[in-house]
Amino acid sequence: MSQFRLHGRRALLAGAAGLAATPALAQHHHHGAATPAAATPAVAPLPERVKLKLTWNATALCTSPIAVADREGIFARYNLDVELINFGASTEALLEAIATGHADAGVGMALRWLKPLEQGFDVKITAGTHGGCMRLLGGRGTGITEDIASLRGKTIAVTDMAAPDKNFFSILFARHGINPDRDVTWKVFPANVFELALSRGEVQAVALGDPLAYQYRKRLNLIEVSTNLSEDYADRACCVLGVRGSLIRSNRPVAAALSQALVDAQTLVSRDHDIAARTFAAYAPGGVSVTEMREILESHTHGHSPVGTQLRDELQAYITDLKRINVIRANTDPARMAERITANVFA
């Protein structure tokens, strides 16, 4: 799968040595503030080894905690034998694979999953994994500044019209009085063509996820107008863990063990960016150095992994946002939908 489908299912960050038996009270530091994430209950290891299939996007840096959970024995600590499946097809196909038992769980981006989940797959979100990984970048000499209003009338490159970055920045535009359908123009290109589109003046800005977004910003000296950690989104997870509904109903402790292992892994990564950068080097798309990966991970909030009520509230807020930009149906009740698509496996 090309690394550019990546944000569709972006990521679980996993990995934590020595955190397993204790509730993971994570802290993330953003703009100098420490925000405690929800404390997740301590989960005991399963009484016997259980095999699970977990889908992920192996080229998305924010999924590096999954690799860490595998390499550092975090899954094993909970008596889980996890087979990682790199899944490159559409989100609908991914959710169907989980719902129908071809996989047991998967990690991806809330802003890509919520629309298909509105239509009803037997998949429940049990944890958020982290925040940060999408960037809105403007070319110099285009009139674009760090003020989001400067994007009015501009053309923005995206990888597809349902991309989570397009959804997120559309929400941000709407908040700032910019109509995302009329006041800006979105153009679809493969991510590896963004640079050419900018240089030819076909677009003045790009919206995409890390690690590419970070690399483009640095290499092309682009202006970072915004990220998905701006404003109150600084305290919201963007990537989530979805578990097969039938597994939760038949064996909730397994779903709890998997969710806790991934939260532990995120917590470890938030404290030790090196471990994730080194582990992920085996999967990283070409040309991303370990140093760059560490810098990117430092800009994310891998210590923010909400579960339970906090997770449901964050997803309800996203559903409300997506209604505002006409992605979620006008008659969908955000509170009811958030309740339906989440499961508190620790309760």
Side-chain angles (χ1 to χ4, degrees):
M1 138 177 163
S2 91
Q3 70 240 48
F4 313 122
R5 306 276 298 170
L6 74 162
H7 349 330
R9 281 160 301 283
R10 191 137 263 341
L12 237 351
L13 278 217
L19 301 170
T22 56
L25 180 61
Q27 294 214 326
H28 74 65
H29 299 275
H30 185 68
H31 301 319
T35 310
T40 53
V43 170
L46 297 165
E48 53 196 38
R49 183 61 60 108
V50 175
K51 286 192 172 203
L52 287 180
K53 291 182 176 176
L54 176 67
T55 65
W56 69 318
N57 181 334
T59 57
L61 179 62
C62 58
T63 61
S64 57
I66 295 176
V68 171
D70 186 43
R71 287 276 178 94
E72 298 296 314
I74 295 170
F75 290 139
R77 186 185 302 143
Y78 288 98
N79 232 346
L80 292 169
D81 179 1
V82 177
E83 178 188 349
L84 298 180
I85 300 169
N86 186 18
F87 198 92
S90 72
T91 300
E92 286 76 4
L94 170 73
L95 292 170
E96 188 168 339
I98 298 170
T100 56
H102 290 92
D104 299 296
V107 284
M109 300 200 76
L111 286 173
R112 195 185 280 276
W113 280 22
L114 288 169
K115 180 60 183 175
L117 284 174
E118 180 189 32
Q119 286 138 45
F121 285 93
D122 188 20
V123 175
K124 306 286 187 193
I125 297 173
T126 62
T129 53
H130 77 105
C133 60
M134 300 182 234
R135 300 176 198 267
L136 177 63
L137 307 169
R140 299 205 178 258
T142 59
I144 292 173
T145 66
E146 290 180 1
D147 179 1
I148 200 152
S150 68
L151 269 292
R152 197 183 289 274
K154 300 293 193 277
T155 301
I156 306 164
V158 287
T159 52
D160 70 87
M161 292 305 255
D165 0 61
K166 177 182 182 285
N167 282 339
F168 179 78
F169 295 114
S170 294
I171 289 165
L172 210 58
F173 287 144
R175 280 190 165 200
H176 288 266
I178 298 165
N179 184 309
D181 299 319
R182 291 198 295 272
D183 296 340
V184 298
T185 304
W186 305 93
K187 279 183 100 165
V188 174
F189 296 92
N192 58 345
V193 182
F194 280 16
E195 183 173 355
L196 189 62
L198 276 168
S199 68
R200 288 181 173 173
E202 290 183 57
V203 300
Q204 293 81 50
V206 301
L208 80 165
D210 290 333
L212 271 179
Y214 183 87
Q215 288 186 298
Y216 278 164
R217 187 190 73 185
K218 234 166 73 162
R219 187 159 49 81
L220 306 178
N221 190 25
L222 301 178
I223 295 158
E224 186 163 282
V225 183
S226 190
T227 74
N228 63 327
L229 289 175
S230 61
E231 301 171 15
D232 53 315
Y233 294 100
D235 300 311
R236 214 184 282 184
C238 60
C239 296
V240 294
L241 168 66
V243 179
R244 179 163 51 85
S246 55
L247 174 65
I248 293 172
R249 292 187 294 275
S250 67
N251 203 335
R252 184 174 284 255
V254 171
L258 176 64
S259 304
Q260 184 68 55
L262 283 170
V263 169
D264 285 358
Q266 296 286 354
T267 306
L268 174 62
V269 168
S270 72
R271 295 175 184 177
D272 184 354
H273 298 116
D274 282 342
I275 198 169
R278 287 196 312 270
T279 302
F280 201 66
Y283 304 95
V288 189
S289 69
V290 170
T291 302
E292 277 184 318
M293 286 192 284
R294 187 166 53 241
E295 288 169 3
I296 295 168
L297 289 163
E298 283 168 1
S299 74
H300 297 171
T301 56
H302 286 290
H304 182 71
S305 306
V307 298
T309 311
Q310 185 181 355
L311 171 68
R312 190 190 65 212
D313 290 349
E314 289 187 23
L315 291 173
Q316 180 178 329
Y318 275 139
I319 295 163
T320 304
D321 286 337
L322 289 171
K323 272 183 77 165
R324 185 173 182 185
I325 60 166
N326 305 312
V327 171
I328 294 288
R329 291 191 298 258
N331 62 350
T332 292
D333 179 326
R336 195 170 299 152
M337 179 177 158
E339 186 69 42
R340 175 174 64 79
I341 65 170
T342 56
N344 184 357
V345 292
F346 302 106

